[in-house]
Amino acid sequence: MWLFGRKGPSGFSASSTAEEVTEGIDGTGLTAIVTDRFFNHPQFGKDDESFLHLEDVSVTAGASSGIGMETARVLALRGVHVVMGVRNMEGGREVQATIVKENPAAKINAMELDLSSMVSVRKFAADYNSLRLPLNILISNNAGIMATPFTLSKDKIELQFATNHLGHFLLTNLLLETMKKTASESNKEGRIVNVSSRRHKISYPEGIRFDKLNEQSGYNGFSAYGQSKLANVLHANELARQLKLEEYQINSTKCGSMRKAIPSICYTI
């Protein structure tokens, strides 16, 4: 992250808008799924916000506001077919209507997805693949929760790790072959973007507590969050290594230009 408006190697800074960054880009013919922005889990008494997913370029995000909605809006503005994966379908349809009202030519759809539930993730991926749609971009690992009280997911997994990492990990792997096929058949670069956090540097002393993942004893909400974000980064690095072995061209710089279905890491607070 570049502070105080200082521009990075890309020529953009933290104050650059999505429209500025994508100016002049034609995304016609691309499909995206997007996961984005931290949502407040309803069981903690907060608003029930949705995840976004974009097709051909996939984005999962907080559908009702924030980075996710802006990502979907701007991708659609640039001609990308956006499929929103939302936990709250009513909220997702509201976002869809808002974007289409502003941009009648927008190609945007909503599909149900709860990243804290492995059953929901598998159903979303199966439904998506059954549509025989291409998938050029997956912007993932930015939907999540932060510093929650100790809670287990429906799958009996610590909720932050389940939502912030495992759901995205599973989604990526279930859609990876579709991305590879799309890249090979279209000869268009594909991209997997894992949006993590600088908090990945501050996890538990041992890093990821694989042997104590679901134990309440010693649980710390912020450390557990850092643990999930560290898992995001390690996943992206390992995925890049594996794709390189499969002879997919890779630019390992954060969010740099990439060919084929290549993982990248972006950092947010």
Side-chain angles (χ1 to χ4, degrees), residues 190-263:
R191 183 171 298 184
I192 300 169
V193 180
N194 289 348
V195 185
S196 188
S197 167
R198 291 180 294 176
R199 183 78 196 191
H200 80 275
K201 297 180 179 179
I202 310 175
S203 180
Y204 290 105
E206 63 269 43
I208 299 177
R209 306 172 71 193
F210 288 108
D211 58 340
K212 301 179 181 178
L213 196 62
N214 298 329
E215 291 186 12
Q216 187 170 1
S217 176
Y219 175 83
N220 178 281
F222 283 102
S223 296
Y225 172 72
Q227 170 180 253
S228 69
K229 295 290 100 181
L230 175 59
N232 292 164
V233 174
L234 294 175
H235 173 217
N237 288 340
E238 175 59 18
L239 187 56
R241 186 190 70 81
Q242 291 185 13
L243 289 173
K244 188 173 183 178
L245 290 176
E246 295 177 19
E247 298 183 349
Y248 279 78
Q249 290 182 314
I250 294 179
N251 182 322
S252 61
T253 58
K254 301 169 189 174
C255 303
S257 60
M258 290 167 282
R259 307 284 308 173
K260 306 292 186 180
I262 304 306

Side-chain angles (χ1 to χ4, degrees), residues 153-226:
S153 70
K154 296 176 182 178
D155 303 292
K156 306 303 180 183
I157 301 168
E158 190 276 310
L159 190 60
Q160 290 194 83
F161 198 80
T163 305
N164 299 354
H165 174 62
L166 290 182
H168 302 279
F169 175 89
L170 180 60
L171 180 67
T172 300
N173 281 274
L174 292 175
L175 295 174
L176 190 56
E177 290 305 315
T178 298
M179 292 199 71
K180 290 179 182 180
K181 181 179 179 182
T182 300
S184 297
E185 292 181 352
S186 66
N187 199 30
K188 293 181 180 178
E189 68 176 37
R191 183 171 298 184
I192 300 169
V193 180
N194 289 348
V195 185
S196 188
S197 167
R198 291 180 294 176
R199 183 78 196 191
H200 80 275
K201 297 180 179 179
I202 310 175
S203 180
Y204 290 105
E206 63 269 43
I208 299 177
R209 306 172 71 193
F210 288 108
D211 58 340
K212 301 179 181 178
L213 196 62
N214 298 329
E215 291 186 12
Q216 187 170 1
S217 176
Y219 175 83
N220 178 281
F222 283 102
S223 296
Y225 172 72

